[in-house]
Amino acid sequence: MPEVTLTEVEGRRLRLTHLEKVLYPETGWTKAAALHYYASIAPRLLPHLAGRPASFLRFPEGVQGQRFWAKRVPAGAPDWLSTLDVEHREETLRHVVVADLPTLVWAANLGALELHVPQWQLEPTEHDRLIIDLDPGPGASIVDCCTVALAARRALAADGLTAWAKTSGSKGLHLLVPLQPTPERVATGYVRHLAMRLRKADPALVVDRMDKSLRRNKVFVDWSQNTSAKTTVAPYSIRAGDRPLVSTPVSWTAVRDCRRPEELEFTPEQVLARRRDPMADLAEPRYRGRLSE
């Protein structure tokens, strides 16, 4: 029988299991450490999950074991979870909405290390956010992504849009841009055009086509991440690499000054030790930009 710890989180009773299980063999980082991180970072993380149907990348046996996407509410889930029905190509799936701390701890206990959400809340045809996904190809790094991010920030500002940056927690960089409700085709079309503009301005560094053969020594601007069916790892989510790293919001000063990839690598412990949240103002209504159709 699995070892079980009973706990209460904001009035909800939870059964936590296998707390000593090692999720990252190279570092010895455990499931208990993951639960502690998510419970501690919740005030900063939850606003980025609110109202959005979550997709979980689960690792029940750790990062070297089986991994699978969990999009539907699993059997036996608590009846107090907030949910949202989402139409996929062939079926409608009921997703969990991570609306509070008990839901976040429940998900982490399932082995949901990575938390992914779309660029819309409640209604997939109306987006409230742009994602500028900067992915370095072979021979490039997050340092090159920073160069492209600064160019993208200038282009966005010229269009009246404000961007916040975060690491992907892997090799790349993401820019988030809050919007007033915007049709999916307008949001996707804008980022596709922005990617083309960045490529034309610096063809030696930027590529805006999917073909992987074009990406060597370049940064791919993946505009397709703005379609309603796509999700992106949430700010402050853990990533499942060789060691635990976090998709971490960073200041524009950090982006500008980055000279080595390791300068933008952050462990959960480093993130929890920070006093300031560089994305604290992302949800402020005054920053919501408008895209013309």
Side-chain angles (χ1 to χ4, degrees):
M1 294 291 291
E3 295 182 9
V4 175
T5 299
L6 298 178
T7 189
E8 186 170 299
V9 180
E10 295 183 349
R12 304 295 191 185
R13 291 182 60 80
L14 294 171
R15 298 172 72 256
L16 307 181
T17 59
H18 301 299
L19 294 180
E20 298 308 312
K21 179 176 292 182
V22 173
L23 300 181
Y24 292 80
E26 288 198 11
T27 64
W29 210 68
T30 65
K31 183 177 180 180
L35 285 164
H36 170 74
Y37 169 76
Y38 274 128
S40 301
I41 204 64
R44 297 185 180 189
L45 168 60
L46 287 173
H48 299 291
L49 305 176
R52 302 181 194 275
S55 295
F56 305 128
L57 192 52
R58 291 180 55 183
F59 297 81
E61 302 303 322
V63 297
Q64 293 184 358
Q66 180 188 15
R67 66 179 63 192
F68 60 92
W69 283 102
K71 296 180 180 290
R72 68 175 76 238
V73 178
D79 59 9
W80 45 260
L81 294 177
S82 295
T83 62
L84 185 66
D85 289 341
V86 180
E87 291 187 12
H88 292 263
R89 288 183 179 179
E90 298 180 353
E91 59 182 334
T92 298
L93 299 181
R94 176 157 293 178
H95 288 247
V96 174
V97 176
V98 184
D100 51 31
L101 178 58
T103 305
L104 180 59
V105 174
W106 167 83
N109 183 60
L110 289 181
L113 280 180
E114 296 193 9
L115 312 173
H116 294 243
V117 289
Q119 313 315 316
W120 50 270
Q121 296 186 63
L122 303 178
E123 178 50 61
T125 59
E126 294 292 315
H127 289 215
D128 68 337
R129 206 167 60 181
L130 298 177
I131 177 80
I132 317 299
D133 184 354
L134 305 177
D135 184 12
S141 74
I142 198 171
V143 178
D144 301 294
C145 292
C146 288
T147 299
V148 180
L150 292 168
R153 185 194 188 197
R154 291 190 294 269
L156 290 162
D159 293 337
L161 302 173
T162 305
W164 280 260
K166 71 179 181 75
T167 69
S168 69
S170 181
K171 298 178 181 180
L173 199 67
H174 297 156
L175 308 186
L176 298 182
V177 179
L179 295 177
Q180 297 181 24
T182 301
E184 174 196 11
R185 60 177 179 79
V186 176
T188 304
Y190 175 85
V191 181
R192 186 171 191 174
H193 186 254
L194 174 66
M196 181 184 69
R197 289 158 59 191
L198 294 170
R199 186 252 305 162
K200 286 184 175 180
D202 194 350
L205 182 59
V206 179
V207 61
D208 62 340
R209 291 172 54 190
M210 299 285 183
D211 190 341
K212 291 186 177 182
S213 67
L214 303 175
R215 299 186 196 179
R216 178 164 295 278
N217 299 321
K218 294 185 179 184
V219 173
F220 173 48
V221 183
D222 188 357
W223 52 267
S224 72
Q225 289 299 115
N226 291 274
T227 60
S228 294
K230 292 289 188 73
T231 62
T232 307
V233 67
Y236 293 111
S237 173
I238 302 170
R239 300 306 304 270
D242 293 334
R243 58 195 178 102
L245 295 176
V246 173
S247 181
T248 308
V250 292
S251 69
W252 281 107
T253 299
V255 173
R256 183 195 64 208
D257 294 345
C258 181
R259 297 294 180 269
R260 296 177 295 117
E262 52 266 34
E263 294 173 12
L264 292 182
E265 293 180 352
F266 302 95
T267 66
E269 292 75 20
Q270 289 173 318
V271 171
L272 289 177
R274 295 165 125 202
R275 295 183 178 180
R276 181 174 172 272
D277 179 4
M279 278 191 173
D281 295 333
L282 178 67
E284 288 289 330
R286 69 181 182 273
Y287 292 117
R288 295 174 188 163
R290 181 185 296 275
L291 296 181
S292 58
E293 297 195 32

